[in-house]
Amino acid sequence: MEAVPFADIEVGQVLPTQRYEVGAEEVARYVAAVGGTAQLPAGEAPPTFATVYLRDVRRLLPAPPGGVHAAQRFRFHAPIRVGDRITVTTRVAETYVRRERNHVVLETEIARADGTSLCSGRSVRIWAR
Amino acid sequence: MTGGSAAAGGVVALRSWLVTQQQIDAYADVSDDHNPLHVDPVFAAQTRYGTTIAHGLLLVGVLSDALTAWIGPAWSNGGELDVKFVGAVRAGDTVAITAAPADPQRSTDGAVRLEIRCAVGESVALVGTAVHPVSR
């Protein structure tokens, strides 16, 4: 994967929408990885589960090595459930330079295939040179 | 692992846990984020961190689990988390998550606002806020 240089990132650019079906096995692996102990209703994934799908954002907009995740925001609108068919759409919301470091702000919307909004995310990344 | 014990000054210790390389590797596998800074101790030894560090979103996942355990269903149904990653968490670190109720005047109607912190000893790794609807 060739990294996308900061200068080539366009504000407003929307990455191709990705589609997934939430799998029980993957949810279980995520819960195990974060050491999850919270009781959730049967079939419900942790609200942060969909972060696993950001792997495709990294594939669609590869960052140069050495970048840093600076900040993250989530709004959890409704629970994600095993078996949900979901869409993940990411948009470049902002780019800026602060303290001589390149910043890229990505906004991700996660929804059920029927349009029900599940989670909104906003990620601030320092884009290595 | 601890959870939800109230302390002086309104600060609540939500959880304390040891971050292992095994946990970081498990998160790398499920998120397919195999950045060598997280999973390659030889590479990480040459960086300013000196050793492997946890993914920011691994911390967020643990933090959200602690908030789910403490708050209940209101967290998954309308919760908002806003955090900054201000320091590294290294493999072998023990991270303490605390929450403190924010100034009530800064809470909007029907919502509870918490100031969140993840720290390794005196070293702060994550700061932010969590806002959730009042449970019915």
Side-chain angles (χ1 to χ4, degrees):
Chain A
M1 274 188 302
E2 192 147 341
V4 178
F6 181 72
D8 291 355
I9 298 174
E10 288 176 37
V11 175
Q13 178 184 350
V14 180
L15 304 181
T17 294
Q18 304 293 300
R19 292 167 200 285
Y20 308 93
E21 182 170 340
V22 177
E25 192 259 355
E26 193 159 41
V27 171
R29 283 173 62 211
Y30 178 81
V31 171
V34 300
T37 58
Q39 292 293 316
L40 289 167
E44 197 172 298
T48 51
F49 166 73
T51 56
V52 304
Y53 299 130
L54 297 180
R55 59 188 170 223
D56 288 316
V57 173
R58 287 192 298 276
R59 182 174 56 77
L60 293 164
L61 192 68
V68 177
H69 194 169
Q72 181 69 48
R73 193 159 82 199
F74 287 115
R75 291 181 181 189
F76 306 120
H77 308 297
I80 298 173
R81 295 196 171 85
V82 170
D84 277 351
R85 291 172 190 278
I86 64 171
T87 61
V88 177
T89 307
T90 297
R91 170 180 174 274
V92 178
E94 205 178 336
T95 61
Y96 57 91
V97 180
R98 187 174 296 163
R99 293 181 193 155
E100 298 182 0
R101 299 215 275 186
N102 297 328
H103 290 68
V104 176
V105 181
L106 301 176
E107 289 181 347
T108 298
E109 289 297 325
I110 297 162
R112 277 194 209 108
D114 67 7
T116 310
S117 188
L118 297 175
C119 178
S120 306
R122 182 181 168 94
S123 178
V124 181
R125 292 176 180 274
I126 296 171
W127 214 255
R129 288 169 197 279
Chain B
M1 206 170 271
T2 58
S5 52
V11 177
V12 178
L14 285 187
R15 186 168 295 182
S16 172
W17 91 102
L18 172 66
V19 179
T20 63
Q21 187 62 50
Q22 188 184 18
Q23 180 177 34
I24 295 171
D25 290 347
Y27 185 80
D29 285 343
V30 74
S31 65
D32 198 24
D33 186 348
H34 293 93
N35 183 330
L37 191 53
H38 303 305
V39 298
D40 184 345
V42 175
F43 172 87
Q46 326 263 322
T47 68
R48 64 193 166 106
Y49 302 108
T51 187
T52 50
I53 63 170
H55 307 71
L57 288 176
L58 167 56
L59 297 188
V60 168
V62 179
L63 167 59
S64 177
D65 185 70
L67 290 167
T68 302
W70 196 45
I71 294 163
W75 182 240
S76 300
N77 294 273
E80 294 182 26
L81 186 63
D82 193 354
V83 301
K84 287 183 179 162
F85 303 104
V86 296
V89 169
R90 292 168 174 79
D93 281 347
T94 296
V95 181
I97 303 175
T98 53
D103 181 345
Q105 293 184 341
R106 294 184 64 203
S107 293
T108 48
D109 287 349
V112 177
R113 187 185 168 96
L114 303 165
E115 304 289 346
I116 301 292
R117 173 177 285 229
C118 295
V120 179
E122 297 296 305
S123 172
V124 179
L126 175 155
V127 291
T129 56
V131 179
H132 66 89
V134 176
S135 299
R136 277 173 245 161

